[in-house]
């Protein structure tokens, strides 16, 4: 693998790691707020179904950590573009108005836009 290609792949991997860590902390902070305020989480619909959907959706950035390193160029580029767009929709659509979430989600969206742009501009030499 050429050095430039390895650098792009490593950059994408690291960006996905930061996105994933931010997603984890957004959830942890959200649970902490709910516990301190004595609220219960309002989950629309059947909790098992919602959690199954959440498991699938949150695995996109988790899988992109490894896929950004191992996929061949064309599949990698397409996967990063698609996953970044999908995850932006997930972050915005599944969001909350709690201050910590707005801060973390803003950072996630900026990082996801960077992933999208890097993947879009990625060319082989």
């Amino acid at each position: 693998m050429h050095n430039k290609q390895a650098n792009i792949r490593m950059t994408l991997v690291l960006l996905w790691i930061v996105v994933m860590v931010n997603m984890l902390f957004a959830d942890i902070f959200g649970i902490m707020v709910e516990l301190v305020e004595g609220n219960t989480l309002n989950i629309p619909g059947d909790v098992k179904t919602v959690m199954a959907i959440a498991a699938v959706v949150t695995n996109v950035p988790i899988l992109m950590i490894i896929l950004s390193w191992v996929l061949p160029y064309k599949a990698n580029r397409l996967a990063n573009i698609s996953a970044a767009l999908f995850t932006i929709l997930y972050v915005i659509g599944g969001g909350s108005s709690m201050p910590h979430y707005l801060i973390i989600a803003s950072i996630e969206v900026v990082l996801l836009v960077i992933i999208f742009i890097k993947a879009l501009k990625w060319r082989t030499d």
Side-chain angles (χ1 to χ4, degrees):
M1 185 181 321
H2 298 279
N3 198 25
K4 184 178 179 185
Q5 295 299 310
N7 286 343
I8 292 170
R9 289 174 186 268
M10 183 55 72
T11 300
L12 291 169
V13 167
L14 293 172
L15 287 165
W16 280 112
I17 290 170
V18 176
V19 167
M20 193 63 240
V21 170
N22 270 283
M23 291 175 86
L24 289 170
F25 275 99
D27 288 346
I28 290 168
F29 294 159
I31 292 168
M32 289 171 66
V33 168
E34 294 292 328
L35 290 173
V36 169
E37 292 183 352
N39 298 332
T40 57
L41 298 172
N42 280 332
I43 298 175
D46 175 54
V47 70
K48 291 177 184 175
T49 303
V50 173
M51 291 300 107
I53 293 167
V56 171
V57 173
T58 56
N59 262 284
V60 171
I62 293 169
L63 291 172
M64 287 311 298
I65 293 168
I66 188 69
L67 293 178
S68 295
W69 188 254
V70 300
L71 284 177
Y73 164 73
K74 285 184 181 180
N76 200 330
R77 187 170 177 265
L78 180 60
N80 272 282
I81 290 168
S82 303
L85 290 173
F86 177 78
T87 306
I88 287 170
L89 292 174
Y90 169 68
V91 168
I92 293 170
S96 123
S97 60
M98 288 189 271
H100 76 273
Y101 188 84
L102 295 174
I103 293 166
I104 292 173
S106 298
I107 292 167
E108 289 171 7
V109 169
V110 167
L111 294 170
L112 290 162
V113 168
I114 292 169
I115 290 169
F116 175 81
I117 291 169
K118 286 206 168 287
L120 195 63
K121 291 183 175 182
W122 186 7
R123 302 285 182 252
T124 58
D125 293 338

